[in-house]
Amino acid sequence: MIVIRYADDFVIGFQYYEEAVTFLADLRRRLSKYELTLHPMKTRLIEFGKYASGNRKRKGKGKPETFDFLGFTHMCSKNRKGDFFLRRETKRKRLKRKLEEVKEELKKRMHEKTRVTGEWLATVIMGHTNYFGVPGNMDAAKEFYKQCMRQWLRTLRRRSHKAQKLTWEVFRKKAEELIPRPRLVHPFPEQRFWRQRLEVGAG
């Protein structure tokens, strides 16, 4: 059994379906003793992992279900070699909500000095990339970067008639001096786990 927990959210993995069913029933009974319940929308029992796609295909079922956890949508996928790959993509609702927050903040900063706004936006984008810059999710990280930059350009164009003539090419060249493009921050899981094993062995 594998347990991954953050605050009151957690994901538990089992090798065998029967064990998962038994655990879920036991967990519900134990929580009920304290007048607690599991969230009805978030609590699901799904087939997931390395063998999920093959098992479901043999049973005539569709693709493995996905699940959301810590801002990511987790899904079964394959890498370029055709091996199993746990793909994590930014949850669409979270991405949309964050872009709306950036849009509103840029409106408030409309008449602020360009460099000051750029420095603020750089911290937002870098913070987003540092969290969501995982293998398989760089398209979403780059999309967040692009949408933030486009929204900043729209905001600048509203400042004056002169600013309305600001082209995307000129703006992008200047903006990239303040805000670097997103890059892959985190290694592939197997690389991270291998490095951890080496550090434990060295210790």
Side-chain angles (χ1 to χ4, degrees):
M1 185 179 80
I2 299 175
V3 180
I4 302 174
R5 183 184 70 87
Y6 182 81
D8 60 347
D9 289 330
F10 56 88
V11 175
I12 305 178
F14 294 88
Q15 182 176 0
Y16 301 107
Y17 174 78
E18 294 76 12
E19 292 180 348
V21 172
T22 300
F23 177 86
L24 181 58
D26 289 343
L27 179 61
R28 282 181 168 139
R29 279 196 296 269
R30 183 163 182 81
L31 289 176
S32 66
K33 292 181 180 180
Y34 302 96
E35 298 183 354
L36 298 173
T37 59
L38 295 170
H39 195 289
M41 300 300 293
K42 293 183 178 179
T43 305
R44 290 187 295 147
L45 189 62
I46 66 173
E47 188 174 16
F48 195 89
K50 185 176 181 179
Y51 304 107
S53 295
N55 290 340
R56 293 178 66 83
K57 187 176 181 179
R58 285 192 294 272
K59 297 174 184 176
K61 298 182 179 180
K63 295 181 179 180
E65 294 181 67
T66 64
F67 67 91
D68 296 332
F69 186 59
L70 301 182
F72 287 96
T73 296
H74 296 68
M75 58 193 72
C76 296
S77 185
K78 292 183 179 180
N79 59 21
R80 294 179 180 178
K81 296 181 180 179
D83 298 327
F84 173 76
F85 174 57
L86 173 58
R87 184 175 296 278
R88 294 167 291 169
E89 296 184 355
T90 309
K91 186 178 177 181
R92 298 307 301 177
K93 288 184 179 179
R94 180 161 180 171
L95 179 61
K96 184 178 180 179
R97 183 170 67 248
K98 188 61 180 179
L99 286 171
E100 286 295 326
E101 291 176 1
V102 171
K103 179 180 178 180
E104 292 303 315
E105 184 63 25
L106 285 172
K107 287 181 179 180
K108 296 177 183 178
R109 294 171 175 265
M110 181 182 297
H111 299 292
E112 194 174 57
K113 291 184 178 180
T114 303
R115 176 165 290 277
V116 174
T117 301
E119 290 174 350
W120 165 79
L121 190 56
T123 63
V124 173
I125 292 177
M126 290 176 64
H128 185 89
T129 303
N130 286 341
Y131 186 84
F132 290 103
V134 302
N137 192 46
M138 289 312 298
D139 285 346
K142 292 175 182 177
E143 180 65 19
F144 179 77
Y145 171 87
K146 183 176 72 173
Q147 293 300 327
C148 285
M149 299 290 269
R150 289 190 179 281
Q151 187 56 51
W152 189 20
L153 175 59
R154 294 190 192 99
T155 303
L156 289 174
R157 283 173 171 171
R158 294 191 181 101
R159 292 172 63 166
S160 64
H161 291 293
K162 182 179 180 180
Q164 290 177 2
K165 299 179 181 179
L166 182 62
T167 64
W168 168 251
E169 289 72 21
V170 173
F171 164 78
R172 184 177 62 179
K173 184 177 181 180
K174 293 182 177 179
E176 287 180 353
E177 296 176 2
L178 295 171
I179 308 175
R181 289 177 174 272
R183 59 181 179 81
L184 184 65
V185 177
H186 303 281
F188 283 86
E190 57 268 25
Q191 295 175 341
R192 184 174 70 252
F193 294 149
W194 174 249
R195 186 161 59 239
Q196 290 175 346
R197 287 198 295 268
L198 289 177
E199 291 174 352
V200 171

